[in-house]
Amino acid sequence: IIQAEADFRKANILLDAKEYDGVAFNAHQAVEKILKALYMKKNKKGRAGHFIIYVASELNVPEELMKEIKKIAPEYLISRYPDIVGVAPVNYYNREMVVDYIKIAEEVLKWAKKRILE
C-alpha cells in the first residue's frame, strides 16, 4: 500500500511538472502495486509480471473497474519504449490522456485498499 500510494503521489507531481510520460508510468505502477498487495493478502504469496489485467481478473475486480484497468494496462510499456507507438513517450502523451490515468489509479487504489484493510 505504501509504495502504491507513493507512486500515485509521484504521478501527481509529474502531472504538475507536465512530464506526462512519467505520469502514465507511475499511475500504472500504483495500480500494479495495489493490485499485487491485494493478491498477496488473499493468496499469501506474490504475483510476478506486469500485466495487471491478469492480476485484476484473478481478484474478480468489478467489470466497470476492469474496463478502466484495461485502459491503463499497456502504459507499463508505452510509457517507456519509443518503438511501441513510433515516437518517444515524452512526445506521445498529453494532459487529457494522463489525467484519465490518474483517475483510474485513484479508483483502483480506493477499491483495493478497502479490501486489503478489511
Side-chain angles (χ1 to χ4, degrees), residues 98-117:
V98 298
V99 164
D100 191 39
Y101 297 147
I102 295 263
K103 290 176 187 173
I104 292 168
E106 186 172 30
E107 288 176 36
V108 176
L109 281 164
K110 286 179 185 176
W111 179 86
K113 187 175 176 181
K114 178 180 176 186
R115 280 146 188 84
I116 292 167
L117 298 175

Side-chain angles (χ1 to χ4, degrees), residues 84-107:
I84 303 288
V85 291
V87 297
V90 71
N91 294 325
Y92 174 70
Y93 294 96
N94 61 53
R95 182 176 179 81
E96 184 179 330
M97 291 168 75
V98 298
V99 164
D100 191 39
Y101 297 147
I102 295 263
K103 290 176 187 173
I104 292 168
E106 186 172 30
E107 288 176 36

Side-chain angles (χ1 to χ4, degrees), residues 26-44:
N26 282 284
H28 177 280
Q29 289 295 285
V31 169
E32 180 179 332
K33 289 171 185 166
I34 200 68
L35 289 175
K36 286 183 175 180
L38 179 55
Y39 183 93
M40 288 177 73
K41 180 179 182 196
K42 289 185 173 271
N43 297 292
K44 308 296 186 235

Side-chain angles (χ1 to χ4, degrees), residues 4 7 25-39 47-53 55-56 59 69 72-73 75-76 80 105 108-109:
D7 289 341
F25 180 75
N26 282 284
H28 177 280
Q29 289 295 285
V31 169
E32 180 179 332
K33 289 171 185 166
I34 200 68
L35 289 175
K36 286 183 175 180
L38 179 55
Y39 183 93
R47 176 71 163 79
H50 301 287
F51 202 58
I52 58 177
I53 294 172
V55 180
L59 293 170
I69 290 169
I72 199 170
E75 297 313 318
Y76 176 74
R80 299 171 66 212
V108 176
L109 281 164

